[in-house]
């Protein structure tokens, strides 16, 4: 650009002198228009020169056009920010404000302030504080503390995640502590902050166990992840070994708690980010542990195997999430096998600040399993998210759930989700 | 007739500067001079810019620096990642929240600061208008091409 300006000026001067020579031609109107355009161009050149001069004076770090970079770098100190080192604790917060209406007088869960007998409630949901601190170039600490609302506007504190992380390289990254298990995509992609979610809530199969979800979503142990050398396939692995201790409330409002009394689990995840389609993730996971099934007897134990397959595409304003699950309970000393298949599919498309979404979910839990409160249920959710700014979003969501041996459940949720 | 020809020539003369202003140059991928990497594929570049790959082959941590919103380099970055400005911010918030990144890439307000960062930070990588690149900054081939060469994919 700097070299173009003098050329433009020279051309304009030459053009102007040419204009003077043809000023007496028989087409005065054409000439007048040409002169007008020359003047406009001259004005643009002046503006560009002024802008360039102001940038140079405003940024003393900016080298002069022909100044060698080495000279500039050696004489100017870099701002502290350029070190890109964050030694202190960084924190970020997530909050939400909700209103939920159900068409049944008995809500499914006593959580989120939805008291049995009421059909609609305001609730604050989760208030999430996220803290990170870098210890060294390769080590860091991450923690997530959630103040969650229970019934009657009571609040409890949950240390959702606390991890000491060590990233040796792209192929070996280790974490020690309490984590969200890598069963499927959703649990590790969205965590607790509702602002990150497109929808107002999580799919039921991916709901936190403490909120009635079916899966062991949290554990304490070791997590190792990294890239697998695989060329254009972009394979990654995740291996987890730890202890879950899942206690889930029945979602039918009975007030019962199911303590699974989990043994140590093993979870292996493999997923691909193929080079050919940026934004696509295809993966699968296998999780195994042993749990107690108190519904069938005080000492009944079962092997729990959870198989997941997922396809996710996020890019160019489109979000497509689809995950399938098979939860299999194999009772010890018995040939009984109880299977719970489930899936959800979610699609959304950004249109300016608006992101309409659609989700369909399905769970078919055996009445004899420890998910007898869930049973067969399926149905769509649809709504929209509107981003007021980069920090505040408003969501409206309608749910229709078909339940086995129970009336259909319809719900309206509105949510103001924010981050700070 | 001669007048018309003169006017046409004059008109073409006046268009030249506009064409010069409108001409777009390639956006170079620039790394620290000590970085052994001299060539990347476009998918590899995307993974570096998106924070999916966080170390260079020599083990050095990758440090991505970006220009401010509205600059040509930023627009090119968003195009490469297939994101809008707000999606980019949301993406990095999510990456930090997932523990996949310590912080969003640092935004530098001027090309001069980018040039200094690329020299001073060993693992640095930036997108920069190829006309602004000066030694000792190292320009990386993308899909086998350097800026200005036919087939160079980033403009």
């Amino acid at each position: 650009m700097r070299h173009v300006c003098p050329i433009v000026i020279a051309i304009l001067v030459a053009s102007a002198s040419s204009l003077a020579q043809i000023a007496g031609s028989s087409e005065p109107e054409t000439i007048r228009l040409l002169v007008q355009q020359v003047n406009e161009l001259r004005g643009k050149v002046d503006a560009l020169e002024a802008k360039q001069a102001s940038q140079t004076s405003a940024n003393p770090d900016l080298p002069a056009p022909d100044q060698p970079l080495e000279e500039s770098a050696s004489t100017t100190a870099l701002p502290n920010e350029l070190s890109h080192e964050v030694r202190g604790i960084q924190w970020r917060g997530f909050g939400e404000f909700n209103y939920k209406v159900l068409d049944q007088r008995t809500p499914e869960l006593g959580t989120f302030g939805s008291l049995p007998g009421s059909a609609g409630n305001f609730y604050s949901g989760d208030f999430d504080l996220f803290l990170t601190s870098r210890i060294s170039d390769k080590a860091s600490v991450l923690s997530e503390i959630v103040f969650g609302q229970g019934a009657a506007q009571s609040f409890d504190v949950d240390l959702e995640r606390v991890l000491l992380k060590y990233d040796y390289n792209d192929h070996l990254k280790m974490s020690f502590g309490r984590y969200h298990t890598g069963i499927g995509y959703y649990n590790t992609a969205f965590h607790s902050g509702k602002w990150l979610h497109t929808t107002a809530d999580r799919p039921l199969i991916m709901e936190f166990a403490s909120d009635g979800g079916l899966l062991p979503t949290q554990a304490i142990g070791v997590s190792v992840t990294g890239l697998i050398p695989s060329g254009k396939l972009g394979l990654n692995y995740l291996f987890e070994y730890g202890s879950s201790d899942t206690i889930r409330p029945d979602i039918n409002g009975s007030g019962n708690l199911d303590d699974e009394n989990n043994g140590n689990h093993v979870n292996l995840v493999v997923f691909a980010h193929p080079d050919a389609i940026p934004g696509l993730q295809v993966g699968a996971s296998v999780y195994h542990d042993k749990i107690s099934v108190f519904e069938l007897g005080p000492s009944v134990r079962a092997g729990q195997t959870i198989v997941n397959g997922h396809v996710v595409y996020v890019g160019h304003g489109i979000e497509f999430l689809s995950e399938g699950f098979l939860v299999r309970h194999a009772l010890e000393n018995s040939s009984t096998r109880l299977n719970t298949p489930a899936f959800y599919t979610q699609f959304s498309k950004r249109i300016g600040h608006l992101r309409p979404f659609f989700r369909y979910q399905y769970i078919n839990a055996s009445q004899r399993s420890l998910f007898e409160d869930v049973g067969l249920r399926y149905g769509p959710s649809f709504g929209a998210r509107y981003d007021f700014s980069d920090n505040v979003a408003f969501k409206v969501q309608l749910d229709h759930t078909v339940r086995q041996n129970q009336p259909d459940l319809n719900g309206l949720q509105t949510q103001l989700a924010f981050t700070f | 007739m001669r007048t018309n020809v003169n006017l046409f020539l004059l008109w073409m003369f006046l268009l030249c500067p506009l064409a010069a202003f409108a001409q777009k140059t390639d956006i170079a991928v620039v790394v620290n001079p000590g970085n052994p990497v001299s060539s990347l594929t476009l998918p590899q570049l995307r993974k570096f810019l998106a924070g999916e790959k966080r170390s260079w082959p020599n083990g050095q941590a990758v440090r991505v620096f970006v220009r401010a919103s509205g600059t040509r380099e930023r627009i090119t970055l968003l195009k490469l990642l297939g994101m809008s400005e707000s999606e980019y911010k949301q993406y990095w918030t999510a990456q930090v929240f997932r523990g996949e990144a310590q912080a969003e890439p640092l935004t530098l307000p001027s090309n001069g600061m980018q040039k200094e960062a690329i020299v001073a930070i060993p693992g640095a990588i930036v997108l920069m208008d190829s006309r602004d690149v000066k030694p000792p900054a190292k320009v990386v081939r993308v899909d086998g091409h350097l800026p200005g060469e036919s087939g160079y994919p980033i403009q």
Side-chain angles (χ1 to χ4, degrees), chain A residues 48-62, chain B residues 67:
Chain A
L48 284 168
E49 284 179 339
K51 188 178 175 186
Q52 183 182 335
S54 66
Q55 280 177 343
T56 306
S57 59
N59 297 306
D61 295 344
L62 196 70
Chain B
R67 288 297 312 279

Side-chain angles (χ1 to χ4, degrees), chain A residues 27 37 48 78 81-82 85 90 130 137 161 165 167 170 173 189 196 275 316-317 350 355 390, chain B residues 4 7 11 21 47 54-55 63 82 87 89 93 96-99 102 106 108 113 115 120-121:
Chain A
E27 301 181 37
Q37 289 183 13
L48 284 168
L78 277 171
E81 294 81 11
L82 280 189
E85 296 292 330
Q90 288 190 321
F130 176 73
D137 230 19
R161 288 185 292 164
K165 295 168 66 68
D167 294 356
D170 282 335
K173 292 178 268 188
L196 293 166
D275 285 357
H316 297 96
R350 177 177 53 80
R355 182 178 280 277
D390 290 334
Chain B
N4 286 339
L7 286 173
W11 179 249
F21 276 118
K47 286 180 179 176
R54 288 182 275 165
S55 60
R63 307 290 193 212
E87 283 174 328
K89 287 175 182 167
T93 301
V96 173
F97 198 54
R98 290 169 190 163
Q102 190 71 20
L106 195 63
L108 298 178
M113 291 183 78
K115 291 173 186 174
I121 310 292

Side-chain angles (χ1 to χ4, degrees), chain B residues 60-125:
Chain B
Q60 186 73 52
V62 175
R63 307 290 193 212
V64 180
F65 295 97
V66 298
R67 288 297 312 279
S69 176
T71 59
R72 217 182 126 219
E73 288 89 347
R74 180 71 161 231
I75 292 165
T76 303
L77 169 73
L78 297 176
K79 195 174 155 190
L80 278 171
L81 297 178
M83 298 177 190
S84 67
E85 186 65 42
S86 60
E87 283 174 328
Y88 179 80
K89 287 175 182 167
Q90 192 169 344
Y91 171 82
W92 278 105
T93 301
Q95 285 294 95
V96 173
F97 198 54
R98 290 169 190 163
E100 296 293 325
Q102 190 71 20
E104 181 181 334
L106 195 63
T107 299
L108 298 178
S110 73
N111 268 339
M113 291 183 78
Q114 270 201 324
K115 291 173 186 174
E116 295 193 21
I118 209 70
V119 174
I121 310 292
I125 179 171

